[in-house]
Amino acid sequence: PFQLLEIIRKEDVVLRAILTTHHHWDHARGNEELAQLFPGLQVFGADERIGALTHKVTHGQELTFGAIRVRCLFTPCHTSGHMCYFMWEDDSPDAPALFSGDTLFVGGCGQFFEGTAEQMHTNLTQILGTLPKDTKVFCGHECTVRNLKFALKVEPENEMVKEKLAWARQRDDEDLPTVPSTLQEEFLYNPFLRVTEEPVQRFTGRTDPVEVLRMLRSERDNFKKPKE
């Protein structure tokens, strides 16, 4: 949690709550320590396995922190208790934000550790995919270049994939983040959101969207990093 403490000091803010997407150590490991440092700290999440959890949230539940409004979106699959958080401020010119944890990545989606292709399909099409198109996607990891290399294997003719990959490589070289993207962009280059597109179906040899997603995930899990 030390990086977070540094940011809190630098920004001169008060830490009141933590929204945890899932229990994996690389997303929740600092919770206990922060809870000790900040008595009364609220820790929100949907899984009992989340460290220092104080408030269990449910799908569709709305929270308010000052002017910030949060809608909890339950997306089980990567873990059985995965929750995404959609945030906005009323009357703000800024686009809303989605903190998607390990469900939706820039150019990819999370592994199906504790769930099924059916669940991930529901997550991506009915829950996250229906959010406003200008929503900024803040995912849990920087694996954009690797994801887009796979996307290029799936759709070698997709110009948006080529453009985004070139951009992401440049950002990587300059040690700059590739996050956030927007939901609108993701539909143009993320194969896991493009399961009804003919080139993606051709790559998987399937037409049923859930089967296309299942095959994509299997191929992605076995995807070896191509030589530069």
Side-chain angles (χ1 to χ4, degrees), residues 64-115:
T64 306
F65 302 95
I68 300 170
R69 298 182 61 185
V70 181
R71 185 178 302 133
C72 303
L73 301 173
F74 189 48
T75 54
C77 181
H78 181 71
T79 67
S80 59
H82 196 293
M83 188 69 77
C84 295
Y85 300 98
F86 177 68
M87 302 191 188
W88 75 98
E89 290 183 7
D90 289 332
D91 306 319
S92 170
D94 296 329
L98 171 69
F99 290 85
S100 58
D102 285 0
T103 295
L104 175 64
F105 293 120
V106 180
C109 76
Q111 289 180 271
F112 305 173
F113 288 138
E114 297 182 356

Side-chain angles (χ1 to χ4, degrees), residues 4-17 38 68:
L4 184 61
L5 293 173
E6 194 53 46
I7 292 166
I8 289 166
R9 269 196 295 273
K10 202 166 79 179
E11 299 289 336
D12 193 27
V13 293
V14 179
L15 182 65
R16 300 208 186 282
F38 298 91
I68 300 170

Side-chain angles (χ1 to χ4, degrees), residues 158-177:
N158 186 324
E159 291 302 322
M160 287 303 299
V161 174
K162 293 177 193 173
E163 279 177 36
K164 189 75 177 181
L165 177 55
W167 174 85
R169 280 181 162 141
Q170 180 74 34
R171 298 284 290 184
D172 256 18
D173 290 345
E174 296 170 12
D175 201 25
L176 294 168

